[in-house]
Coordinates of all heavy atoms in Angstrom, one line a residue:
F23 N 6.2 33.6 -7.9 CA 4.9 34.0 -7.5 C 3.8 33.3 -8.2 O 2.6 33.5 -8.0 CB 4.7 35.5 -7.6 CG 5.7 36.3 -6.7 CD1 6.2 37.5 -7.2 CD2 6.0 35.9 -5.5 CE1 7.0 38.3 -6.4 CE2 6.9 36.6 -4.7 CZ 7.4 37.8 -5.1
S24 N 4.1 32.5 -9.2 CA 3.1 31.8 -10.0 C 2.6 30.5 -9.3 O 1.6 29.9 -9.7 CB 3.6 31.4 -11.4 OG 4.7 30.5 -11.3
G25 N 3.4 30.0 -8.3 CA 2.9 28.8 -7.7 C 4.1 28.1 -6.9 O 5.1 28.8 -6.6
G26 N 3.9 26.8 -6.6 CA 4.9 26.1 -5.8 C 4.3 26.0 -4.4 O 3.4 26.7 -4.0
N27 N 4.9 25.1 -3.6 CA 4.5 24.8 -2.2 C 5.6 24.1 -1.5 O 6.4 23.5 -2.1 CB 3.2 24.0 -2.2 CG 3.1 23.1 -3.4 OD1 3.7 22.0 -3.3 ND2 2.4 23.4 -4.4
L28 N 5.5 24.2 -0.2 CA 6.5 23.4 0.7 C 5.8 23.0 1.9 O 4.8 23.5 2.3 CB 7.8 24.2 0.9 CG 7.7 25.4 1.8 CD1 9.1 25.6 2.5 CD2 7.4 26.6 0.9
S29 N 6.4 22.0 2.6 CA 5.8 21.4 3.8 C 6.9 20.9 4.7 O 8.0 20.7 4.3 CB 4.8 20.3 3.5 OG 5.4 19.2 2.9
L30 N 6.4 20.7 5.9 CA 7.3 20.2 7.0 C 6.6 19.2 7.8 O 5.5 19.5 8.3 CB 7.8 21.4 7.8 CG 8.8 21.0 9.0 CD1 10.2 20.6 8.4 CD2 9.0 22.3 9.9
R31 N 7.2 18.0 8.0 CA 6.6 17.0 8.9 C 6.9 17.4 10.4 O 8.0 17.6 10.7 CB 7.1 15.6 8.6 CG 6.5 14.5 9.4 CD 7.3 13.3 9.5 NE 7.5 12.6 8.2 CZ 6.8 11.6 7.8 NH1 5.8 11.1 8.6 NH2 7.0 11.0 6.7
V32 N 5.9 17.3 11.2 CA 6.0 17.5 12.6 C 5.1 16.5 13.3 O 3.9 16.4 13.0 CB 5.7 18.9 13.1 CG1 6.7 19.9 12.6 CG2 4.3 19.4 12.7
S33 N 5.7 15.7 14.2 CA 5.0 14.7 14.9 C 4.3 13.8 13.9 O 4.9 13.4 12.9 CB 4.0 15.3 15.9 OG 3.3 14.3 16.7
N34 N 3.0 13.5 14.0 CA 2.3 12.6 13.1 C 1.4 13.4 12.2 O 0.2 13.1 11.9 CB 1.4 11.6 13.9 CG 1.1 10.4 13.1 OD1 1.8 10.1 12.1 ND2 0.1 9.7 13.5
A35 N 2.0 14.5 11.7 CA 1.2 15.4 10.7 C 2.3 16.2 9.9 O 3.5 16.1 10.2 CB 0.3 16.4 11.5
F36 N 1.8 17.0 9.0 CA 2.7 17.9 8.3 C 2.0 19.2 8.1 O 0.7 19.3 8.1 CB 3.2 17.4 7.0 CG 2.1 17.2 5.9 CD1 1.9 18.2 5.0 CD2 1.4 16.0 5.7 CE1 1.0 18.1 3.9 CE2 0.5 15.9 4.7 CZ 0.3 16.9 3.8
Y37 N 2.7 20.3 8.0 CA 2.2 21.6 7.8 C 2.6 22.0 6.4 O 3.8 21.9 6.0 CB 2.8 22.6 8.8 CG 2.1 22.5 10.2 CD1 2.4 21.5 11.1 CD2 1.1 23.4 10.5 CE1 1.8 21.4 12.3 CE2 0.5 23.3 11.8 CZ 0.8 22.3 12.6 OH 0.2 22.3 13.9
V38 N 1.6 22.5 5.6 CA 1.9 22.8 4.2 C 1.4 24.3 4.0 O 0.6 24.8 4.7 CB 1.1 21.9 3.3 CG1 -0.4 22.0 3.4 CG2 1.5 22.0 1.8
T39 N 2.1 24.9 3.0 CA 1.7 26.3 2.7 C 0.3 26.3 2.1 O -0.2 25.4 1.5 CB 2.7 26.9 1.6 OG1 2.9 25.9 0.6 CG2 4.0 27.1 2.3
P40 N -0.4 27.4 2.3 CA -1.8 27.5 1.8 C -1.9 27.8 0.3 O -0.9 28.1 -0.3 CB -2.3 28.7 2.6 CG -1.1 29.6 2.8 CD 0.0 28.6 3.0
K41 N -3.1 27.7 -0.2 CA -3.3 28.1 -1.6 C -2.9 29.6 -1.8 O -3.1 30.4 -0.9 CB -4.8 28.0 -1.9 CG -5.3 26.5 -2.0 CD -6.8 26.5 -2.3 CE -7.2 25.0 -2.4 NZ -8.7 24.9 -2.6
Y42 N -2.4 29.9 -2.9 CA -2.1 31.3 -3.3 C -1.0 31.9 -2.5 O -0.9 33.1 -2.3 CB -3.3 32.2 -3.3 CG -4.5 31.6 -4.0 CD1 -5.7 31.3 -3.3 CD2 -4.4 31.2 -5.3 CE1 -6.8 30.8 -3.9 CE2 -5.5 30.7 -6.0 CZ -6.7 30.4 -5.3 OH -7.8 29.9 -5.9
A43 N -0.1 31.0 -1.9 CA 1.0 31.5 -1.1 C 1.9 32.4 -1.9 O 2.5 33.4 -1.3 CB 1.8 30.4 -0.4
G44 N 2.1 32.1 -3.1 CA 3.0 32.9 -4.0 C 2.2 34.0 -4.6 O 2.6 35.2 -4.6
E45 N 1.1 33.7 -5.3 CA 0.4 34.7 -6.1 C -0.2 35.8 -5.3 O -0.1 37.0 -5.7 CB -0.8 34.0 -6.9 CG -1.6 34.9 -7.8 CD -2.7 34.1 -8.5 OE1 -2.7 32.9 -8.3 OE2 -3.5 34.8 -9.1
E46 N -0.8 35.5 -4.2 CA -1.5 36.6 -3.4 C -0.7 37.0 -2.2 O -0.7 38.2 -1.8 CB -2.9 36.1 -2.9 CG -3.8 35.9 -4.1 CD -5.2 35.5 -3.6 OE1 -5.4 35.4 -2.4 OE2 -6.1 35.3 -4.5
M47 N 0.0 36.0 -1.6 CA 0.7 36.3 -0.3 C 2.2 36.7 -0.5 O 2.9 37.1 0.4 CB 0.6 35.2 0.7 CG -0.9 34.8 0.9 SD -1.1 33.2 1.8 CE -0.9 33.8 3.5
R48 N 2.7 36.5 -1.7 CA 4.1 36.8 -2.1 C 5.1 36.1 -1.1 O 6.1 36.6 -0.8 CB 4.3 38.3 -2.1 CG 3.4 39.0 -3.0 CD 3.7 38.7 -4.5 NE 2.9 39.5 -5.4 CZ 2.9 39.3 -6.7 NH1 3.6 38.4 -7.3 NH2 2.1 40.1 -7.5
W49 N 4.7 34.9 -0.7 CA 5.5 34.1 0.2 C 5.8 34.8 1.6 O 6.7 34.4 2.3 CB 6.8 33.7 -0.4 CG 6.5 32.8 -1.6 CD1 6.7 33.1 -2.9 CD2 6.0 31.4 -1.6 NE1 6.3 32.0 -3.7 CE2 5.9 31.0 -2.9 CE3 5.6 30.6 -0.5 CZ2 5.4 29.7 -3.2 CZ3 5.2 29.3 -0.9 CH2 5.1 28.9 -2.2
D50 N 5.0 35.8 1.9 CA 5.2 36.5 3.2 C 4.3 35.8 4.2 O 3.2 36.3 4.6 CB 4.8 38.0 3.0 CG 5.1 38.8 4.3 OD1 5.9 38.4 5.1 OD2 4.5 39.9 4.4
L51 N 4.8 34.7 4.7 CA 4.0 33.8 5.5 C 4.3 33.9 7.0 O 5.5 34.2 7.4 CB 4.2 32.3 5.1 CG 3.8 32.0 3.6 CD1 4.2 30.6 3.3 CD2 2.3 32.2 3.4
L52 N 3.3 33.6 7.8 CA 3.5 33.4 9.3 C 3.1 32.0 9.6 O 2.3 31.3 8.8 CB 2.6 34.4 10.0 CG 3.0 35.9 9.9 CD1 1.9 36.7 10.6 CD2 4.3 36.1 10.5
P53 N 3.5 31.4 10.7 CA 3.1 30.0 11.1 C 1.6 29.8 11.0 O 1.2 28.7 10.7 CB 3.7 29.9 12.5 CG 4.9 30.7 12.5 CD 4.5 31.9 11.7
E54 N 0.8 30.8 11.4 CA -0.6 30.6 11.5 C -1.3 30.5 10.1 O -2.4 30.2 10.0 CB -1.3 31.7 12.3 CG -0.9 33.1 12.0 CD 0.2 33.5 13.0 OE1 1.2 32.8 13.2 OE2 0.1 34.7 13.5
H55 N -0.5 30.9 9.1 CA -1.0 30.7 7.7 C -0.9 29.3 7.2 O -1.6 28.9 6.3 CB -0.2 31.6 6.7 CG -0.4 33.1 7.0 ND1 0.7 33.9 6.9 CD2 -1.5 33.8 7.3 CE1 0.3 35.2 7.2 NE2 -1.0 35.1 7.4
L56 N 0.0 28.5 7.8 CA 0.2 27.2 7.4 C -0.9 26.3 7.8 O -1.7 26.5 8.7 CB 1.5 26.6 8.0 CG 2.8 27.5 7.7 CD1 4.0 26.9 8.5 CD2 3.0 27.7 6.3
V57 N -1.1 25.2 7.0 CA -2.3 24.3 7.1 C -1.8 22.9 7.6 O -0.9 22.3 7.0 CB -3.0 24.1 5.8 CG1 -4.3 23.3 6.0 CG2 -3.4 25.5 5.3
E58 N -2.4 22.5 8.7 CA -2.0 21.2 9.3 C -2.8 20.1 8.6 O -4.0 20.2 8.4 CB -2.3 21.2 10.8 CG -1.9 19.8 11.5 CD -2.2 19.8 13.0 OE1 -2.9 20.8 13.4 OE2 -1.8 18.9 13.6
V59 N -2.1 19.0 8.2 CA -2.7 17.8 7.6 C -2.2 16.6 8.4 O -1.0 16.4 8.6 CB -2.2 17.7 6.2 CG1 -2.9 16.4 5.6 CG2 -2.6 18.9 5.4
S60 N -3.2 15.8 8.9 CA -2.8 14.7 9.7 C -2.3 13.5 8.9 O -2.7 13.3 7.8 CB -4.1 14.2 10.5 OG -3.8 13.0 11.2
L61 N -1.3 12.8 9.5 CA -0.8 11.6 8.8 C -1.2 10.4 9.6 O -0.7 9.3 9.4 CB 0.7 11.7 8.7 CG 1.3 12.7 7.7 CD1 2.8 12.9 7.9 CD2 1.0 12.3 6.3
A62 N -2.1 10.5 10.6 CA -2.4 9.5 11.6 C -3.1 8.3 10.9 O -2.9 7.1 11.2 CB -3.2 10.0 12.7

C-alpha cells in the first residue's frame, strides 16, 4: 500500500495505474481508473 505501479501495452498506447493506487485505493481498481498514455 506504500506504492508501486503496473501497466499494460495495448495497441499503440499503454494503460498505467493511477497515483495513490495503493495508498488510497488499496489496489481496488476498475478499468476506468487506469490512465491511457500514447506511444504514438
